[in-house]
Amino acid sequence: MASVDKHQVVKALRDMSAYLQLKGENAFKTRAYDVAADRIAGVGDDLATLVAQKRLTELPNIGESIATKIAELVTTGAMPALDALRAEFPPRMLELLTIPDLGPKKAKTLFTELGVGSIDDLEKACAEHRVRALKGFGEKTEEKLLAGIAVARRASQGGARKKLADVLPQAEAALKWVQQAPGVIRASLGGSVRRLRETVADVDLIASAPDAAPVFAHFEKFPGIAEVLGHGESKSSVRLKEGDLQLDLRVLPDGDFASALHHFTGSKAHHIHLRGLAQDRGLTISEWGVFRVGAQPAAKPGTAKHDGAQEKLPIHTEADLYRLLGMQEIPPELREDWGEIEAALAQQLPADLLRQADVVGNVHMHTTWSDGRDSLLAMVKAAQALGMTYVTVTEHSQTSGYAGGLTIDRLKAQRDEVARVQEQVPGVTILHGVESDILEDGRLDYPDEVLATLDVVIGSIHQRYGLDEAGMTRRVLQAFDNPFFQIWGHPTGRLLGKREPAPLRMEEVLDKAAAKGIVLEVNGCPERLDLSAEHVRAALKRGIKLSVSTDAHSTEELAVHLPFAVGTARKGWARRGDVINTMDVKGFRRSLRAR
Ligand code: DGT
Ligand code: CA
Ligand code: ZN
């Protein structure tokens, strides 16, 4: 029997669907393959056994025809129907479908009209302006495709990095599981997840126990594991079914825990810088611990691993390690070599880095008045349950008709609802605001006399993302001139893995925001995380104030989004005093630009 694993079967079924779509087959037929792929991906039993016992069709959504093809692949290593389809197109045809916004119909046209059969071909065709000449395509499409190519390339190079929010729940569940393993003394997440990077490649876990074997045995029974990828003396790697996520667990004696945790937390750049400093002090830091370099390098046998290093120094906590180097302990989120090492040496790390408990006001939320899922009353009560003392209700504005944006009359009518709910929930101050579109010419979406009636005005871009850098920059600068513009919502408009940040001359825009007293939002919606941590840093250097916003469209999102806003702000070095919704409602209102 050919050794074909479930993964290959799933991929073959997905490819079948993609090729059939390229050929213009009807949606029922192509969807059947996708549904089958999902089904196979979730099968717990051994596929070869299912095939041998001819029980594939017992699975829901798997019919005779698809079952036969799967059986062929599993038993012979080939799926003739797929090979036939593949032969009709250039070998790299399917990579075109990894470009955002490029569906099978358009890909087919590009192929038949221009002979485009790969991402490289498409790039060339765009550069030579051959794409815009096609019917249904244009100059804008060409630009979009070029941007999409960049996204697709980055995704494939990074092995498709995953959004932090998609990974964190699984990572935390795995950590809990490991903590329950026999003999475990300490356990922690490490790597990019612990550093709260916005995207991550995999999950690193570190645990200490007197004996690693029983910990690994327990770990490898974690529900949801698709396969064990590898298993060594101190490391086990598994792949989860959900999201194809890889988990790496390291288990060490407790004496090595802190230095290993430090090592596997990273970042690489932080380590490299730190190791240079250590060397100057006669120390070496490695995966194995911290060592004082001896007078006679590499003299003793059995120490070859740490060339010339002899005395192993006791490190019980990460703070011990930093103390040895004469530094403040650096919080994991800051370990990117963005200047944190210099600051820690000078004892000048931000002392009051923002914490979630500091946040007392919920900024930016939507209710059933626009595209939110829950009523104002439900949202306010939920915010109160989370410890908020005030909220800003900020629906979409009239231009965003697709999102239930409010006409002037509806906006006025909402005042009554705000007053009613305020009576019902006196403990939470409700500020009535709006999330106004920034129109293409930089105007806001309501006349000044309407904006003047509101407590809070957030300005956001929701449409016309196609402007070039000059146009987009002009648009935002213009908007800042409106005296009613107070908070800049999800500033770059990026959607992780889907839409690039709007092209902006950010330095110039931040300078003007600082001069005008505009507050910048750190939007905690997991697809956005906008501002990014890097931009938070750049804004803070100019003295700009921030709002950590939930942009919640439901009561659940109030709770789920806040930690991501806080984490992103922290990663950008935001202190409590930099964030206006850590203040009480009076302080919050005073921090908004006066008009
Ligand atoms: P990721 O997985 O790409 O989202 O990012 P990380 O930072 O989690 O990277 P990963 O999983 O490859 O490795 C975890 C940590 O282990 C990393 O942050 C630092 C440490 N590490 C791994 N490889 C190296 C290396 O070659 N040199 C040094 N100094 N540290 C390394
Ligand atoms: Ca990692
Ligand atoms: Zn918005």
Side-chain angles (χ1 to χ4, degrees):
M1 185 165 289
S3 78
V4 171
D5 75 1
K6 204 168 80 179
H7 242 47
Q8 288 165 277
V9 175
V10 170
K11 182 165 185 317
L13 293 170
R14 297 222 189 279
D15 286 356
M16 280 295 298
S17 162
Y19 280 120
L20 291 172
Q21 289 180 58
L22 282 172
K23 290 194 51 136
E25 276 290 351
N26 76 56
F28 283 113
K29 187 160 172 189
T30 62
R31 236 186 90 67
Y33 283 94
D34 283 319
V35 171
D38 288 343
R39 185 61 62 190
I40 296 294
V43 179
D45 307 300
D46 180 39
L47 209 52
T49 314
L50 280 178
V51 169
Q53 300 175 347
K54 302 198 190 311
R55 285 173 43 215
L56 276 176
T57 49
E58 287 173 21
L59 296 171
N61 311 108
I62 303 222
E64 261 327 317
S65 148
I66 290 182
T68 308
K69 293 190 177 77
I70 296 173
E72 278 171 337
L73 179 57
V74 172
T75 49
T76 69
M79 190 185 280
L82 177 58
D83 295 338
L85 283 168
R86 210 178 262 138
E88 292 182 39
F89 296 94
R92 288 162 60 194
M93 189 67 196
L94 291 190
E95 71 183 26
L96 287 171
L97 300 180
T98 64
I99 299 171
D101 296 330
L102 182 61
K105 267 211 187 94
K106 278 197 169 143
K108 173 84 181 300
T109 308
L110 288 164
F111 172 58
T112 45
E113 300 294 319
L114 302 175
V116 165
S118 68
I119 287 183
D120 291 342
D121 290 351
L122 179 60
E123 185 175 43
K124 192 149 173 281
C126 286
E128 291 166 357
H129 299 323
R130 283 184 284 132
V131 172
R132 65 178 67 169
L134 296 179
K135 199 166 159 246
F137 292 73
E139 210 176 316
K140 280 266 148 64
T141 321
E142 229 170 50
E143 280 166 24
K144 258 200 195 150
L145 286 174
L146 281 170
I149 287 173
V151 174
R153 284 213 175 111
R154 217 163 313 132
S156 72
Q157 277 161 11
R161 297 183 65 83
K162 300 166 172 63
K163 290 196 283 287
L164 177 64
D166 291 342
V167 168
L168 209 51
Q170 286 166 288
E172 280 167 352
L175 174 62
K176 252 202 195 129
W177 183 262
V178 168
Q179 279 163 339
Q180 287 156 6
V184 164
I185 302 164
R186 289 189 276 178
S188 171
L189 293 171
S192 49
V193 174
R194 184 169 182 234
R195 301 197 316 279
L196 300 185
R197 277 205 52 182
E198 56 199 35
T199 61
V200 305
D202 57 20
V203 175
D204 302 279
L205 294 147
I206 299 92
S208 66
D211 185 6
V215 182
F216 287 138
H218 179 82
F219 175 60
E220 288 164 14
K221 284 194 285 249
F222 180 58
I225 288 182
E227 61 176 325
V228 177
L229 298 168
H231 182 136
E233 211 173 292
S234 65
K235 177 180 168 186
S236 163
S237 297
V238 303
R239 187 172 56 76
L240 299 186
K241 285 177 206 153
E242 199 186 325
D244 233 358
L245 183 64
Q246 183 174 334
L247 311 178
D248 290 349
L249 171 67
R250 268 116 179 156
V251 181
L252 309 103
D254 199 58
D256 287 333
F257 177 78
S259 57
L261 173 61
H262 180 263
H263 176 82
F264 291 110
T265 294
S267 67
K268 240 182 245 185
H270 178 83
H271 284 340
I272 290 168
H273 192 162
L274 214 56
R275 286 173 184 193
L277 285 178
Q279 239 164 30
D280 299 343
R281 293 168 175 259
L283 301 171
T284 65
I285 301 180
S286 77
E287 181 179 347
W288 318 105
V290 182
F291 298 84
R292 194 176 302 286
V293 181
Q296 297 149 311
K300 284 187 204 162
T303 55
K305 239 182 214 165
H306 354 275
D307 245 28
Q310 325 229 316
E311 186 198 351
K312 184 165 175 172
L313 303 176
I315 304 286
H316 298 297
T317 63
E318 289 183 318
D320 290 347
L321 188 150
Y322 286 106
R323 204 175 304 122
L324 267 176
L325 298 171
M327 302 165 74
Q328 289 175 291
E329 179 180 5
I330 300 176
E333 301 93 308
L334 267 46
R335 299 180 197 168
E336 300 289 351
D337 200 21
W338 291 353
E340 74 281 7
I341 292 179
E342 292 83 348
L345 279 168
Q347 313 292 313
Q348 272 170 4
L349 281 177
D352 47 355
L353 215 52
L354 179 70
R355 292 168 313 138
Q356 189 168 325
D358 296 332
V359 179
V360 294
N362 180 78
V363 182
H364 193 164
M365 68 185 203
H366 301 268
T367 75
T368 45
W369 279 72
S370 63
D371 61 348
R373 207 193 64 194
D374 293 309
S375 69
L376 179 60
L377 179 61
M379 293 294 277
V380 173
K381 282 186 167 166
Q384 184 174 41
L386 292 168
M388 300 296 139
T389 60
Y390 56 97
V391 300
T392 74
V393 54
T394 51
E395 309 292 4
H396 290 286
S397 64
Q398 43 197 355
T399 295
S400 286
Y402 63 90
L406 303 190
T407 60
I408 295 176
D409 285 343
R410 293 270 297 153
L411 188 62
K412 282 184 183 152
Q414 198 185 26
R415 286 239 98 146
D416 301 334
E417 158 107 346
V418 167
R420 252 196 322 274
V421 174
Q422 185 65 85
E423 265 177 37
Q424 286 174 271
V425 193
V428 177
T429 306
I430 307 173
L431 301 177
H432 187 213
V434 81
E435 180 187 16
S436 168
D437 274 30
I438 301 173
L439 305 178
E440 188 166 358
D441 60 5
R443 278 181 306 126
L444 294 183
D445 206 6
Y446 298 104
D448 288 356
E449 54 279 17
V450 173
L451 295 173
T453 65
L454 297 165
D455 299 319
V456 185
V457 174
I458 300 175
S460 304
I461 291 175
H462 288 118
Q463 291 163 39
R464 309 253 165 251
Y465 273 105
L467 295 186
D468 62 8
E469 187 183 71
M472 199 59 99
T473 304
R474 207 177 318 117
R475 176 183 188 177
V476 172
L477 294 177
Q478 181 73 38
F480 288 173
D481 279 330
N482 186 320
F484 295 96
F485 190 119
Q486 292 174 314
I487 300 177
W488 188 17
H490 45 73
T492 74
R494 72 166 177 180
L495 296 174
L496 291 169
K498 283 211 194 103
R499 184 168 66 210
E500 290 293 291
L504 281 166
R505 292 196 299 273
M506 204 58 171
E507 307 277 303
E508 206 176 318
V509 171
L510 292 179
D511 284 344
K512 181 149 180 179
K516 292 275 179 182
I518 305 249
V519 171
L520 263 54
E521 172 174 283
V522 184
N523 187 302
C525 176
E527 287 75 40
R528 295 188 181 274
L529 305 185
D530 184 11
L531 290 179
S532 66
E534 286 92 331
H535 281 147
V536 165
R537 195 89 203 281
L540 293 176
K541 282 185 177 153
R542 291 167 169 80
I544 292 172
K545 296 285 185 221
L546 306 171
S547 149
V548 289
S549 301
T550 58
D551 197 356
H553 286 67
S554 67
T555 53
E556 277 153 34
E557 288 182 359
L558 279 172
V560 173
H561 291 187
L562 185 60
F564 291 102
V566 170
T568 305
R570 271 178 75 93
K571 193 163 182 63
W573 296 46
R575 294 157 310 157
R576 180 181 183 173
D578 296 321
V579 177
I580 67 169
N581 49 332
T582 62
M583 288 184 254
D584 64 10
V585 67
K586 262 193 183 161
F588 173 79
R589 300 194 70 168
R590 260 201 311 271
S591 315
L592 293 173
R593 181 185 189 195
R595 53 212 190 184

